[in-house]
Amino acid sequence: MEQSLPLPAEGTPGTQAEDEDRPPTAPSNQERTTAGDTDGGGPSIPEELLAEFERLVQERAIVEVEVVERIRGGLRVRYHDVPGLLPTSLATAKRYPRESELRELIGQRLHVVAHELRKNEKGAPTLIFSRRHFLEDLALARLRAGEELEGVVTRLTTFGAFVDIGGIEGLIPLAELDHVPVSTPSKLLQVGQTVRVKVLEIDLAKRRVRLSRKALLPSPWEGLHERYPVGARVRGIVRRVLPKAALVQLEPGVDGIVPVEELSWTEQIPHPAKLLSAGQEAEFVVVEVSPERKRLVLSLRRTEPNPWESAAERYPIGHRVEVTIERLTTTAAHGRLDNGLPAMIPAAELSWSHTRPAPSSVLRVGQRIEAVVLQVEPERQLIVLSYRKARPNPWDELSSQLTVGSRVQGTVRRVLPRSAVVEITEGVEGLIPLQELSWTRRPLHAAELLSAGQAVECIVTEFNPTEQRLILSLRQAQPNPWHELAERYPIGSEHEAIFLRMHQAGAFVRLGSELDAFMPRSSFAPLLRKTKEPWKPGAQLRVRIREFSPEA
């Protein structure tokens, strides 16, 4: 009968990963040399027995052999009166058995697996057997996933612990050693220690068994609702700081997560490391508990009163507040109130005169200003302010001074393609449409007649203080020259003109230095049959006055 193998008592070098990567049938160089020596001077093996052994190797058949003696590289065995080799690495359940464990097998009859038929340099065959694979097959056949059993620790590695569970080694990965994460198994186990484990997975093809020690230990997540109810204040130690959250240990095996949104009531924290660091102890409030998902959500900001709950009462609409500018964007200025709450000033609320000025042209970072509350939405954590409403409205003052037809003086601030913007007083700007720039000129762009910084005198043609609308006319502030021009350019008279540009319906020319005139396409149709551009800008022409209409 096969004798039971004693549990191993000491660790051996190597890892399961390394052992499984190397061919399971490959003995060492010393074992290979000895295999050749085993047959060196012995009787030749009958051809019938060699053929039978080759069949047994292919079938991985189980046979019985007698252990004869200890030799270099393993044990000499006898099968049907033919010598064979049981290599050291295949003689027991261990890959590296002790010498005493090998000598205990001498004289015994053992069940082994027909492993290999190897020939030396002279062509002499040697029968190779494996007892380890036989023992592993027996152990695998007995094992069941979910089974609980005891084993002996044989090896400790960087990724787990190997345990002999009766003929085969199983691996306890680091994650399955304990509910509390460990960096090395030596903190919990020692070689030779008896340990109770649960079989998690059996891979028959790869002869691997995955075990768990943690599965048989009480889970620290049990009863979590009672220990950490929602709303409770708890203290913990920050274990890790991630880009979007921080992990906090409340007790061994129980980590809570602090999302970046739960760090502050008043600031948008870009990274938890701004407020928390590994090893820091702090107080938190439990927000969510889910033992089934092993999820515990904590909040740092809820350890303090929520300033947004009293924001509407503290900052009523129309209330004047002081705010410090912290950030300027293209559409708004962002600042902070005295109690730390953020506030926003839209570009439209920065100036009375400019519709949407660039915030950087009105305010600067670090500036402390007075503003008026326009909107408070605690649920959206939003406070909207107005900078311009904290200052006098110049439009209200002008409402009693200006009327349509009033003459005003101002300075051109901006020249646009179809108009010019004129500042008539600080905070009040008016618009001169392109057609109101000149009595006699027909420019394509306002820059042909005006430039920024130029002083002008205009007539008010439209004024609406409520809508902050002021329309001006530059030409109406000057005498109408058309009566004088009608005498200077009578119908039928001929004059020198300068070609300006083509138009869809004709061409524009300039008479003298002040009058733009129009030539219908029909007046030079013959030239258009030859070319689309009969003249170049600046060309001198001789023209005849056919019609004189000041309203055209």
Side-chain angles (χ1 to χ4, degrees):
M1 291 295 292
E2 176 73 8
Q3 294 183 355
S4 62
L5 183 69
L7 292 177
E10 63 181 12
T12 55
T15 66
Q16 186 184 38
E18 296 169 345
D19 295 339
E20 289 168 348
D21 287 342
R22 64 167 86 108
T25 62
S28 65
N29 291 334
Q30 183 182 12
E31 292 168 349
R32 291 176 182 273
T33 304
T34 307
D37 294 344
T38 304
D39 186 62
S44 61
I45 303 175
E47 292 296 331
E48 298 81 3
L49 186 57
L50 288 177
E52 178 187 358
F53 195 79
E54 289 179 348
R55 178 182 61 80
L56 294 176
V57 169
Q58 293 177 354
E59 297 176 357
R60 294 185 56 80
I62 299 174
V63 298
E64 188 177 54
V65 298
E66 179 183 0
V67 181
V68 178
E69 61 178 330
R70 174 76 165 98
I71 61 174
R72 186 173 56 143
L75 298 170
R76 189 192 303 275
V77 298
R78 187 171 296 278
Y79 173 68
H80 287 284
D81 296 328
V82 176
L85 175 66
L86 185 58
T88 299
S89 62
L90 302 177
T92 70
K94 299 180 180 179
R95 295 180 185 271
Y96 307 99
R98 292 179 295 180
E99 181 66 22
S100 59
E101 292 174 332
L102 291 174
R103 294 192 176 277
E104 287 177 355
L105 301 178
I106 297 175
Q108 298 186 28
R109 298 189 65 82
L110 307 175
H111 285 94
V112 293
V113 172
H115 190 61
E116 183 182 358
L117 179 62
R118 183 181 302 141
K119 295 182 180 180
N120 62 10
E121 296 177 353
K122 299 179 180 180
T126 300
L127 308 182
I128 307 297
F129 300 94
S130 173
R131 182 168 177 258
R132 178 163 64 84
H133 287 86
F134 170 73
L135 296 175
E136 288 179 351
D137 290 342
L138 286 180
L140 289 171
R142 293 195 303 265
L143 288 178
R144 296 290 182 269
E147 181 181 0
E148 299 178 13
L149 42 80
E150 286 189 351
V152 176
V153 178
T154 57
R155 285 183 290 158
L156 301 177
T157 69
T158 57
F159 53 84
F162 288 94
V163 178
D164 188 329
I165 51 176
I168 190 171
E169 282 185 335
L171 172 66
I172 308 177
L174 277 179
E176 293 297 331
L177 284 172
D178 200 283
H179 292 287
V180 180
V182 293
S183 58
T184 174
S186 61
K187 292 185 177 181
L188 298 175
L189 301 175
Q190 295 179 350
V191 174
Q193 177 182 344
T194 300
V195 60
R196 190 161 184 80
V197 294
K198 180 178 182 179
V199 179
L200 297 182
E201 182 182 354
I202 302 173
D203 189 334
L204 296 176
K206 296 182 179 180
R207 295 174 173 271
R208 293 179 180 175
V209 180
R210 188 164 172 264
L211 307 174
S212 174
R213 175 179 177 267
K214 179 177 72 174
L216 302 181
L217 300 175
S219 173
W221 291 89
E222 295 177 3
L224 206 66
H225 280 296
E226 291 74 21
R227 301 200 304 276
Y228 303 107
V230 173
R233 288 177 174 261
V234 296
R235 295 195 67 82
I237 298 177
V238 179
R239 199 164 60 84
R240 292 176 60 196
V241 178
L242 307 175
K244 295 296 183 181
L247 298 181
V248 178
Q249 185 182 65
L250 299 183
E251 62 180 72
V254 176
D255 282 357
I257 182 172
V258 185
V260 69
E261 298 81 11
E262 289 294 334
L263 291 174
S264 174
W265 289 115
T266 60
E267 293 185 59
Q268 291 185 350
I269 306 299
H271 195 288
K274 185 176 180 180
L275 296 180
L276 298 174
S277 58
Q280 176 183 349
E281 183 178 357
E283 186 178 51
F284 303 91
V285 171
V286 179
V287 176
E288 178 187 344
V289 181
S290 180
E292 302 80 13
R293 299 165 56 197
K294 293 186 176 181
R295 177 178 172 83
L296 179 64
V297 181
L298 304 174
S299 172
L300 178 65
R301 67 177 183 175
R302 300 190 191 206
T303 58
E304 300 177 351
N306 183 359
W308 288 103
E309 294 178 353
S310 59
E313 180 180 353
R314 182 171 181 177
Y315 303 111
I317 305 302
H319 183 66
R320 287 178 175 261
V321 296
E322 289 191 347
V323 58
T324 302
I325 304 302
E326 293 186 341
R327 185 166 55 96
L328 299 174
T329 65
T330 57
T331 58
H334 300 267
R336 196 164 298 279
L337 301 174
D338 289 338
N339 66 342
L341 289 180
M344 177 187 70
I345 306 176
E349 292 296 330
L350 288 173
S351 172
W352 288 111
S353 57
H354 298 75
T355 305
R356 293 183 181 274
S360 59
S361 67
V362 181
L363 301 174
R364 65 181 185 276
V365 174
Q367 183 178 356
R368 189 170 179 82
I369 62 172
E370 189 178 68
V372 173
V373 178
L374 294 183
Q375 181 182 355
V376 178
E377 294 187 33
E379 61 280 359
R380 294 176 57 195
Q381 298 188 358
L382 175 67
I383 297 179
V384 180
L385 305 177
S386 172
Y387 176 56
R388 66 175 184 173
K389 290 186 178 179
R391 307 169 69 192
N393 185 352
W395 291 91
D396 294 339
E397 299 178 4
L398 286 178
S399 61
S400 61
Q401 302 174 14
L402 292 185
T403 59
V404 174
S406 298
R407 185 178 294 268
V408 295
Q409 294 182 345
T411 303
V412 178
R413 293 304 180 196
R414 296 185 301 281
V415 179
L416 308 176
R418 308 295 297 174
S419 63
V421 179
V422 177
E423 184 182 49
I424 63 172
T425 186
E426 184 179 359
V428 177
E429 292 180 344
L431 194 71
I432 306 177
L434 189 66
Q435 64 272 17
E436 291 295 330
L437 291 177
S438 173
W439 287 108
T440 60
R441 299 283 293 275
R442 296 293 182 267
L444 289 177
H445 195 289
E448 295 180 26
L449 298 178
L450 294 178
S451 59
Q454 180 178 345
V456 294
E457 187 176 46
C458 304
I459 297 295
V460 177
T461 61
E462 183 180 345
F463 181 52
N464 188 330
T466 304
E467 297 181 2
Q468 298 180 14
R469 180 177 174 84
L470 177 61
I471 305 300
L472 305 174
S473 172
L474 180 63
R475 69 172 184 171
Q476 291 186 30
Q478 304 167 3
N480 188 338
W482 283 103
H483 295 294
E484 179 185 346
L485 293 174
E487 297 178 359
R488 188 184 308 174
Y489 299 103
I491 294 176
S493 61
E494 295 185 0
H495 303 271
E496 296 292 331
I498 297 177
F499 174 72
L500 298 178
R501 60 182 179 275
M502 291 297 295
H503 187 270
Q504 184 177 0
F508 282 98
V509 297
R510 181 166 296 160
L511 298 173
S513 60
E514 70 285 322
L515 180 61
D516 289 354
F518 180 72
M519 291 195 306
R521 183 175 288 267
S522 59
S523 65
F524 53 92
L527 295 178
L528 293 177
R529 297 191 187 100
K530 300 179 181 179
T531 177
K532 292 182 179 180
E533 297 182 0
W535 306 285
K536 293 182 179 180
Q540 291 190 350
L541 309 177
R542 185 74 178 175
V543 297
R544 176 182 292 112
I545 306 298
R546 291 177 52 184
E547 181 180 349
F548 196 88
S549 177
E551 301 301 326

